mmCIF file of all heavy atoms in Angstrom:
data_model
loop_
_atom_site.group_PDB
_atom_site.id
_atom_site.type_symbol
_atom_site.label_atom_id
_atom_site.label_comp_id
_atom_site.label_asym_id
_atom_site.label_seq_id
_atom_site.Cartn_x
_atom_site.Cartn_y
_atom_site.Cartn_z
ATOM 1 N N GLN A 7 16.495 11.288 45.767
ATOM 2 C CA GLN A 7 17.018 12.569 46.247
ATOM 3 C C GLN A 7 18.363 12.349 46.940
ATOM 4 O O GLN A 7 18.755 11.214 47.228
ATOM 5 C CB GLN A 7 16.035 13.183 47.258
ATOM 6 C CG GLN A 7 14.647 13.426 46.727
ATOM 7 C CD GLN A 7 13.657 13.854 47.802
ATOM 8 O OE1 GLN A 7 12.500 14.076 47.501
ATOM 9 N NE2 GLN A 7 14.075 13.953 49.058
ATOM 10 N N THR A 8 19.018 13.436 47.298
ATOM 11 C CA THR A 8 20.309 13.325 47.995
ATOM 12 C C THR A 8 20.156 12.684 49.369
ATOM 13 O O THR A 8 21.092 12.090 49.891
ATOM 14 C CB THR A 8 20.947 14.720 48.175
ATOM 15 O OG1 THR A 8 19.968 15.598 48.721
ATOM 16 C CG2 THR A 8 21.444 15.272 46.847
ATOM 17 N N ASN A 9 18.964 12.794 49.979
ATOM 18 C CA ASN A 9 18.764 12.223 51.319
ATOM 19 C C ASN A 9 18.233 10.794 51.276
ATOM 20 O O ASN A 9 17.837 10.243 52.297
ATOM 21 C CB ASN A 9 17.820 13.109 52.144
ATOM 22 C CG ASN A 9 16.429 13.220 51.520
ATOM 23 O OD1 ASN A 9 16.152 12.583 50.497
ATOM 24 N ND2 ASN A 9 15.568 14.017 52.124
ATOM 25 N N GLY A 10 18.199 10.187 50.075
ATOM 26 C CA GLY A 10 17.771 8.791 49.959
ATOM 27 C C GLY A 10 16.276 8.624 49.772
ATOM 28 O O GLY A 10 15.810 7.518 49.488
ATOM 29 N N LEU A 11 15.513 9.700 49.965
ATOM 30 C CA LEU A 11 14.074 9.633 49.697
ATOM 31 C C LEU A 11 13.829 9.907 48.208
ATOM 32 O O LEU A 11 14.771 10.127 47.449
ATOM 33 C CB LEU A 11 13.333 10.641 50.583
ATOM 34 C CG LEU A 11 13.408 10.344 52.095
ATOM 35 C CD1 LEU A 11 12.804 11.477 52.902
ATOM 36 C CD2 LEU A 11 12.714 9.013 52.427
ATOM 37 N N TYR A 12 12.550 9.926 47.815
ATOM 38 C CA TYR A 12 12.225 10.011 46.385
ATOM 39 C C TYR A 12 11.388 11.246 46.066
ATOM 40 O O TYR A 12 10.640 11.746 46.918
ATOM 41 C CB TYR A 12 11.466 8.752 45.942
ATOM 42 C CG TYR A 12 12.333 7.524 46.002
ATOM 43 C CD1 TYR A 12 12.466 6.811 47.188
ATOM 44 C CD2 TYR A 12 13.054 7.105 44.883
ATOM 45 C CE1 TYR A 12 13.293 5.700 47.263
ATOM 46 C CE2 TYR A 12 13.879 5.995 44.950
ATOM 47 C CZ TYR A 12 13.997 5.297 46.141
ATOM 48 O OH TYR A 12 14.822 4.206 46.206
ATOM 49 N N ALA A 13 11.521 11.692 44.829
ATOM 50 C CA ALA A 13 10.720 12.812 44.321
ATOM 51 C C ALA A 13 9.975 12.358 43.072
ATOM 52 O O ALA A 13 10.469 11.534 42.301
ATOM 53 C CB ALA A 13 11.625 13.997 43.982
ATOM 54 N N ILE A 14 8.783 12.917 42.900
ATOM 55 C CA ILE A 14 7.989 12.692 41.689
ATOM 56 C C ILE A 14 7.658 14.064 41.116
ATOM 57 O O ILE A 14 7.250 14.962 41.860
ATOM 58 C CB ILE A 14 6.669 11.956 42.016
ATOM 59 C CG1 ILE A 14 6.942 10.528 42.475
ATOM 60 C CG2 ILE A 14 5.732 11.944 40.812
ATOM 61 C CD1 ILE A 14 5.687 9.810 42.965
ATOM 62 N N THR A 15 7.834 14.226 39.817
ATOM 63 C CA THR A 15 7.539 15.526 39.204
ATOM 64 C C THR A 15 6.360 15.397 38.253
ATOM 65 O O THR A 15 6.347 14.524 37.378
ATOM 66 C CB THR A 15 8.774 16.059 38.451
ATOM 67 O OG1 THR A 15 9.847 16.158 39.378
ATOM 68 C CG2 THR A 15 8.504 17.435 37.863
ATOM 69 N N LEU A 16 5.389 16.282 38.457
ATOM 70 C CA LEU A 16 4.164 16.265 37.651
ATOM 71 C C LEU A 16 4.214 17.348 36.584
ATOM 72 O O LEU A 16 4.692 18.461 36.839
ATOM 73 C CB LEU A 16 2.951 16.537 38.545
ATOM 74 C CG LEU A 16 2.670 15.488 39.618
ATOM 75 C CD1 LEU A 16 1.617 16.011 40.583
ATOM 76 C CD2 LEU A 16 2.196 14.205 38.977
ATOM 77 N N GLU A 17 3.694 17.020 35.413
ATOM 78 C CA GLU A 17 3.607 17.997 34.330
ATOM 79 C C GLU A 17 2.141 18.379 34.107
ATOM 80 O O GLU A 17 1.242 17.549 34.297
ATOM 81 C CB GLU A 17 4.160 17.401 33.032
ATOM 82 C CG GLU A 17 5.639 17.094 33.093
ATOM 83 C CD GLU A 17 6.232 16.847 31.720
ATOM 84 O OE1 GLU A 17 5.481 16.484 30.796
ATOM 85 O OE2 GLU A 17 7.450 17.029 31.582
ATOM 86 N N PHE A 18 1.950 19.621 33.669
ATOM 87 C CA PHE A 18 0.600 20.116 33.385
ATOM 88 C C PHE A 18 0.654 20.944 32.105
ATOM 89 O O PHE A 18 1.463 21.886 32.021
ATOM 90 C CB PHE A 18 0.094 20.993 34.540
ATOM 91 C CG PHE A 18 -0.004 20.249 35.838
ATOM 92 C CD1 PHE A 18 1.074 20.217 36.712
ATOM 93 C CD2 PHE A 18 -1.151 19.551 36.163
ATOM 94 C CE1 PHE A 18 1.001 19.510 37.899
ATOM 95 C CE2 PHE A 18 -1.236 18.847 37.352
ATOM 96 C CZ PHE A 18 -0.153 18.822 38.225
ATOM 97 N N ALA A 19 -0.175 20.610 31.144
ATOM 98 C CA ALA A 19 -0.180 21.352 29.883
ATOM 99 C C ALA A 19 -0.391 22.835 30.153
ATOM 100 O O ALA A 19 -1.324 23.220 30.867
ATOM 101 C CB ALA A 19 -1.278 20.819 28.962
ATOM 102 N N SER A 20 0.504 23.667 29.613
ATOM 103 C CA SER A 20 0.474 25.124 29.796
ATOM 104 C C SER A 20 0.507 25.542 31.266
ATOM 105 O O SER A 20 0.136 26.666 31.599
ATOM 106 C CB SER A 20 -0.740 25.755 29.089
ATOM 107 O OG SER A 20 -0.554 25.709 27.688
ATOM 108 N N GLY A 21 0.928 24.650 32.139
ATOM 109 C CA GLY A 21 1.036 24.991 33.556
ATOM 110 C C GLY A 21 -0.305 25.199 34.235
ATOM 111 O O GLY A 21 -0.374 25.811 35.305
ATOM 112 N N LEU A 22 -1.373 24.689 33.633
ATOM 113 C CA LEU A 22 -2.714 24.853 34.207
ATOM 114 C C LEU A 22 -3.032 23.645 35.087
ATOM 115 O O LEU A 22 -3.059 22.512 34.608
ATOM 116 C CB LEU A 22 -3.752 24.989 33.086
ATOM 117 C CG LEU A 22 -3.588 26.232 32.199
ATOM 118 C CD1 LEU A 22 -4.428 26.120 30.932
ATOM 119 C CD2 LEU A 22 -3.970 27.494 32.974
ATOM 120 N N VAL A 23 -3.268 23.910 36.361
ATOM 121 C CA VAL A 23 -3.472 22.826 37.330
ATOM 122 C C VAL A 23 -4.921 22.844 37.802
ATOM 123 O O VAL A 23 -5.384 23.844 38.361
ATOM 124 C CB VAL A 23 -2.528 22.999 38.541
ATOM 125 C CG1 VAL A 23 -2.648 21.804 39.485
ATOM 126 C CG2 VAL A 23 -1.091 23.182 38.078
ATOM 127 N N GLY A 24 -5.637 21.758 37.591
ATOM 128 C CA GLY A 24 -7.047 21.691 37.971
ATOM 129 C C GLY A 24 -7.241 21.375 39.447
ATOM 130 O O GLY A 24 -6.339 20.848 40.112
ATOM 131 N N ALA A 25 -8.431 21.686 39.951
ATOM 132 C CA ALA A 25 -8.745 21.489 41.372
ATOM 133 C C ALA A 25 -8.515 20.052 41.850
ATOM 134 O O ALA A 25 -8.003 19.853 42.960
ATOM 135 C CB ALA A 25 -10.186 21.926 41.636
ATOM 136 N N PRO A 26 -8.858 19.021 41.060
ATOM 137 C CA PRO A 26 -8.642 17.656 41.561
ATOM 138 C C PRO A 26 -7.173 17.381 41.907
ATOM 139 O O PRO A 26 -6.876 16.646 42.851
ATOM 140 C CB PRO A 26 -9.107 16.772 40.393
ATOM 141 C CG PRO A 26 -10.072 17.629 39.641
ATOM 142 C CD PRO A 26 -9.547 19.023 39.758
ATOM 143 N N PHE A 27 -6.260 18.007 41.151
ATOM 144 C CA PHE A 27 -4.840 17.791 41.450
ATOM 145 C C PHE A 27 -4.436 18.505 42.737
ATOM 146 O O PHE A 27 -3.641 17.978 43.519
ATOM 147 C CB PHE A 27 -3.962 18.224 40.270
ATOM 148 C CG PHE A 27 -3.908 17.178 39.192
ATOM 149 C CD1 PHE A 27 -4.723 17.268 38.078
ATOM 150 C CD2 PHE A 27 -3.072 16.075 39.319
ATOM 151 C CE1 PHE A 27 -4.704 16.284 37.105
ATOM 152 C CE2 PHE A 27 -3.040 15.086 38.350
ATOM 153 C CZ PHE A 27 -3.860 15.189 37.232
ATOM 154 N N PHE A 28 -4.978 19.696 42.958
ATOM 155 C CA PHE A 28 -4.675 20.370 44.224
ATOM 156 C C PHE A 28 -5.161 19.521 45.398
ATOM 157 O O PHE A 28 -4.474 19.369 46.407
ATOM 158 C CB PHE A 28 -5.326 21.760 44.266
ATOM 159 C CG PHE A 28 -4.548 22.799 43.517
ATOM 160 C CD1 PHE A 28 -5.042 23.359 42.354
ATOM 161 C CD2 PHE A 28 -3.295 23.212 43.970
ATOM 162 C CE1 PHE A 28 -4.317 24.311 41.656
ATOM 163 C CE2 PHE A 28 -2.559 24.163 43.282
ATOM 164 C CZ PHE A 28 -3.073 24.714 42.118
ATOM 165 N N ASP A 29 -6.368 18.970 45.251
ATOM 166 C CA ASP A 29 -6.909 18.127 46.326
ATOM 167 C C ASP A 29 -6.019 16.903 46.546
ATOM 168 O O ASP A 29 -5.704 16.537 47.680
ATOM 169 C CB ASP A 29 -8.338 17.673 45.972
ATOM 170 C CG ASP A 29 -9.326 18.836 45.962
ATOM 171 O OD1 ASP A 29 -8.990 19.889 46.540
ATOM 172 O OD2 ASP A 29 -10.411 18.694 45.362
ATOM 173 N N ALA A 30 -5.620 16.269 45.423
ATOM 174 C CA ALA A 30 -4.806 15.052 45.529
ATOM 175 C C ALA A 30 -3.439 15.363 46.136
ATOM 176 O O ALA A 30 -2.946 14.628 47.004
ATOM 177 C CB ALA A 30 -4.640 14.432 44.143
ATOM 178 N N ILE A 31 -2.833 16.456 45.690
ATOM 179 C CA ILE A 31 -1.499 16.812 46.193
ATOM 180 C C ILE A 31 -1.582 17.171 47.678
ATOM 181 O O ILE A 31 -0.733 16.779 48.484
ATOM 182 C CB ILE A 31 -0.908 17.967 45.345
ATOM 183 C CG1 ILE A 31 -0.583 17.449 43.935
ATOM 184 C CG2 ILE A 31 0.341 18.543 45.999
ATOM 185 C CD1 ILE A 31 -0.336 18.535 42.905
ATOM 186 N N ASN A 32 -2.631 17.877 48.043
ATOM 187 C CA ASN A 32 -2.842 18.218 49.456
ATOM 188 C C ASN A 32 -2.954 16.947 50.297
ATOM 189 O O ASN A 32 -2.350 16.838 51.378
ATOM 190 C CB ASN A 32 -4.118 19.065 49.567
ATOM 191 C CG ASN A 32 -4.296 19.646 50.947
ATOM 192 O OD1 ASN A 32 -3.321 20.009 51.590
ATOM 193 N ND2 ASN A 32 -5.531 19.720 51.412
ATOM 194 N N ARG A 33 -3.688 15.978 49.765
ATOM 195 C CA ARG A 33 -3.856 14.704 50.483
ATOM 196 C C ARG A 33 -2.509 13.994 50.641
ATOM 197 O O ARG A 33 -2.178 13.477 51.708
ATOM 198 C CB ARG A 33 -4.833 13.837 49.673
ATOM 199 C CG ARG A 33 -5.284 12.594 50.378
ATOM 200 C CD ARG A 33 -6.340 11.884 49.537
ATOM 201 N NE ARG A 33 -6.248 10.445 49.697
ATOM 202 C CZ ARG A 33 -6.711 9.568 48.826
ATOM 203 N NH1 ARG A 33 -7.296 9.982 47.720
ATOM 204 N NH2 ARG A 33 -6.607 8.284 49.052
ATOM 205 N N ILE A 34 -1.709 14.002 49.561
ATOM 206 C CA ILE A 34 -0.402 13.328 49.610
ATOM 207 C C ILE A 34 0.519 14.026 50.611
ATOM 208 O O ILE A 34 1.214 13.373 51.394
ATOM 209 C CB ILE A 34 0.232 13.302 48.195
ATOM 210 C CG1 ILE A 34 -0.576 12.377 47.281
ATOM 211 C CG2 ILE A 34 1.688 12.861 48.252
ATOM 212 C CD1 ILE A 34 -0.276 12.549 45.798
ATOM 213 N N VAL A 35 0.507 15.352 50.602
ATOM 214 C CA VAL A 35 1.367 16.109 51.527
ATOM 215 C C VAL A 35 1.022 15.753 52.968
ATOM 216 O O VAL A 35 1.905 15.490 53.795
ATOM 217 C CB VAL A 35 1.215 17.630 51.284
ATOM 218 C CG1 VAL A 35 1.830 18.431 52.426
ATOM 219 C CG2 VAL A 35 1.866 18.013 49.964
ATOM 220 N N LYS A 36 -0.284 15.720 53.266
ATOM 221 C CA LYS A 36 -0.703 15.432 54.645
ATOM 222 C C LYS A 36 -0.440 13.976 55.011
ATOM 223 O O LYS A 36 0.092 13.664 56.070
ATOM 224 C CB LYS A 36 -2.194 15.733 54.804
ATOM 225 C CG LYS A 36 -2.505 17.222 54.825
ATOM 226 C CD LYS A 36 -3.987 17.430 55.011
ATOM 227 C CE LYS A 36 -4.312 18.908 55.120
ATOM 228 N NZ LYS A 36 -5.748 19.157 55.018
ATOM 229 N N GLN A 37 -0.815 13.090 54.101
ATOM 230 C CA GLN A 37 -0.748 11.649 54.381
ATOM 231 C C GLN A 37 0.691 11.146 54.446
ATOM 232 O O GLN A 37 1.025 10.297 55.267
ATOM 233 C CB GLN A 37 -1.511 10.941 53.253
ATOM 234 C CG GLN A 37 -1.635 9.444 53.336
ATOM 235 C CD GLN A 37 -2.417 8.925 52.117
ATOM 236 O OE1 GLN A 37 -3.585 9.251 51.934
ATOM 237 N NE2 GLN A 37 -1.760 8.149 51.279
ATOM 238 N N GLU A 38 1.566 11.688 53.576
ATOM 239 C CA GLU A 38 2.923 11.139 53.451
ATOM 240 C C GLU A 38 3.994 12.099 53.981
ATOM 241 O O GLU A 38 5.186 11.852 53.795
ATOM 242 C CB GLU A 38 3.222 10.807 51.975
ATOM 243 C CG GLU A 38 2.162 9.976 51.265
ATOM 244 C CD GLU A 38 1.975 8.581 51.870
ATOM 245 O OE1 GLU A 38 2.859 8.128 52.625
ATOM 246 O OE2 GLU A 38 0.927 7.961 51.592
ATOM 247 N N SER A 39 3.578 13.195 54.602
ATOM 248 C CA SER A 39 4.529 14.208 55.097
ATOM 249 C C SER A 39 5.484 14.652 53.987
ATOM 250 O O SER A 39 6.702 14.788 54.194
ATOM 251 C CB SER A 39 5.335 13.672 56.288
ATOM 252 O OG SER A 39 4.467 13.313 57.331
ATOM 253 N N ALA A 40 4.935 14.863 52.811
ATOM 254 C CA ALA A 40 5.747 15.279 51.659
ATOM 255 C C ALA A 40 5.859 16.799 51.621
ATOM 256 O O ALA A 40 5.147 17.511 52.329
ATOM 257 C CB ALA A 40 5.101 14.775 50.372
ATOM 258 N N ARG A 41 6.786 17.282 50.812
ATOM 259 C CA ARG A 41 6.902 18.719 50.561
ATOM 260 C C ARG A 41 6.670 18.957 49.078
ATOM 261 O O ARG A 41 6.880 18.057 48.252
ATOM 262 C CB ARG A 41 8.292 19.235 50.929
ATOM 263 C CG ARG A 41 8.610 19.083 52.383
ATOM 264 C CD ARG A 41 9.989 19.617 52.684
ATOM 265 N NE ARG A 41 9.977 21.062 52.875
ATOM 266 C CZ ARG A 41 11.084 21.801 52.963
ATOM 267 N NH1 ARG A 41 12.265 21.242 52.833
ATOM 268 N NH2 ARG A 41 11.010 23.094 53.162
ATOM 269 N N ILE A 42 6.275 20.201 48.753
ATOM 270 C CA ILE A 42 6.015 20.562 47.358
ATOM 271 C C ILE A 42 7.000 21.628 46.919
ATOM 272 O O ILE A 42 7.226 22.605 47.636
ATOM 273 C CB ILE A 42 4.575 21.115 47.201
ATOM 274 C CG1 ILE A 42 3.562 20.051 47.583
ATOM 275 C CG2 ILE A 42 4.335 21.613 45.777
ATOM 276 C CD1 ILE A 42 3.624 18.776 46.770
ATOM 277 N N HIS A 43 7.557 21.423 45.743
ATOM 278 C CA HIS A 43 8.419 22.449 45.146
ATOM 279 C C HIS A 43 7.855 22.804 43.776
ATOM 280 O O HIS A 43 7.601 21.913 42.953
ATOM 281 C CB HIS A 43 9.844 21.913 44.996
ATOM 282 C CG HIS A 43 10.755 22.847 44.264
ATOM 283 N ND1 HIS A 43 11.094 24.092 44.744
ATOM 284 C CD2 HIS A 43 11.393 22.720 43.078
ATOM 285 C CE1 HIS A 43 11.902 24.684 43.891
ATOM 286 N NE2 HIS A 43 12.097 23.879 42.865
ATOM 287 N N LEU A 44 7.654 24.112 43.550
ATOM 288 C CA LEU A 44 7.259 24.567 42.216
ATOM 289 C C LEU A 44 8.538 24.748 41.421
ATOM 290 O O LEU A 44 9.361 25.607 41.748
ATOM 291 C CB LEU A 44 6.489 25.890 42.311
ATOM 292 C CG LEU A 44 5.224 25.837 43.174
ATOM 293 C CD1 LEU A 44 4.572 27.212 43.238
ATOM 294 C CD2 LEU A 44 4.234 24.817 42.623
ATOM 295 N N THR A 45 8.741 23.953 40.396
ATOM 296 C CA THR A 45 10.028 23.967 39.704
ATOM 297 C C THR A 45 10.152 25.203 38.821
ATOM 298 O O THR A 45 9.162 25.865 38.494
ATOM 299 C CB THR A 45 10.221 22.707 38.830
ATOM 300 O OG1 THR A 45 9.412 22.832 37.661
ATOM 301 C CG2 THR A 45 9.851 21.440 39.586
ATOM 302 N N THR A 46 11.367 25.484 38.407
ATOM 303 C CA THR A 46 11.604 26.649 37.551
ATOM 304 C C THR A 46 10.995 26.458 36.171
ATOM 305 O O THR A 46 10.904 27.403 35.402
ATOM 306 C CB THR A 46 13.112 26.908 37.404
ATOM 307 O OG1 THR A 46 13.725 25.711 36.941
ATOM 308 C CG2 THR A 46 13.726 27.330 38.730
ATOM 309 N N SER A 47 10.596 25.239 35.847
ATOM 310 C CA SER A 47 9.999 24.992 34.531
ATOM 311 C C SER A 47 8.504 24.679 34.631
ATOM 312 O O SER A 47 7.968 23.927 33.819
ATOM 313 C CB SER A 47 10.745 23.864 33.816
ATOM 314 O OG SER A 47 10.823 22.736 34.652
#
Side-chain angles (χ1 to χ4, degrees):
Q7 301 172 180
T8 49
N9 62 3
L11 295 173
Y12 293 86
I14 292 173
T15 302
L16 296 169
E17 295 195 337
F18 299 91
S20 289
L22 296 166
V23 185
F27 279 98
F28 280 112
D29 292 342
I31 291 165
N32 189 36
R33 189 175 147 202
I34 292 165
V35 167
K36 287 181 177 168
Q37 182 180 297
E38 310 297 343
S39 301
R41 297 180 83 190
I42 298 301
H43 174 64
L44 302 178
T45 75
T46 54
S47 52

